Coordinates of all heavy atoms in Angstrom, one line a residue:
K691 N 16.2 28.6 3.2 CA 17.2 29.5 3.5 C 18.6 29.0 3.1 O 19.5 29.9 2.7 CB 17.1 29.7 5.1 CG 17.9 30.9 5.6 CD 16.9 32.1 5.4 CE 17.5 33.3 6.2 NZ 16.6 34.5 6.0
C694 N 18.6 29.7 -0.9 CA 18.3 31.1 -1.3 C 19.1 32.2 -0.5 O 19.2 33.3 -1.0 CB 16.8 31.5 -1.2 SG 15.7 30.2 -2.1
G695 N 19.5 31.8 0.7 CA 20.3 32.8 1.5 C 19.3 33.9 2.0 O 18.1 33.8 2.3
D696 N 19.8 35.1 2.0 CA 19.1 36.3 2.6 C 18.0 36.7 1.7 O 17.2 37.6 2.1 CB 20.0 37.5 2.9 CG 21.1 37.1 4.0 OD1 20.7 36.2 4.8 OD2 22.1 37.7 4.1
E697 N 18.0 36.4 0.5 CA 17.0 36.7 -0.4 C 15.6 36.1 -0.1 O 14.6 36.5 -0.5 CB 17.3 36.3 -1.9 CG 18.5 37.1 -2.4 CD 18.9 36.6 -3.8 OE1 18.3 35.7 -4.3 OE2 19.9 37.2 -4.4
F698 N 15.6 35.0 0.7 CA 14.4 34.4 1.1 C 13.9 35.1 2.3 O 14.4 35.3 3.3 CB 14.7 33.0 1.5 CG 13.6 32.2 2.1 CD1 12.4 31.9 1.4 CD2 13.5 31.9 3.5 CE1 11.4 31.2 1.9 CE2 12.4 31.2 4.1 CZ 11.4 30.9 3.3
Q699 N 12.7 35.8 2.1 CA 12.0 36.6 3.2 C 10.7 35.9 3.6 O 9.9 35.5 2.6 CB 11.7 37.9 2.6 CG 12.9 38.7 2.1 CD 12.7 40.1 1.7 OE1 12.0 40.9 2.5 NE2 13.1 40.5 0.6

Side-chain angles (χ1 to χ4, degrees):
K691 198 81 172 177
C694 303
D696 295 335
E697 296 176 354
F698 173 70
Q699 301 183 51

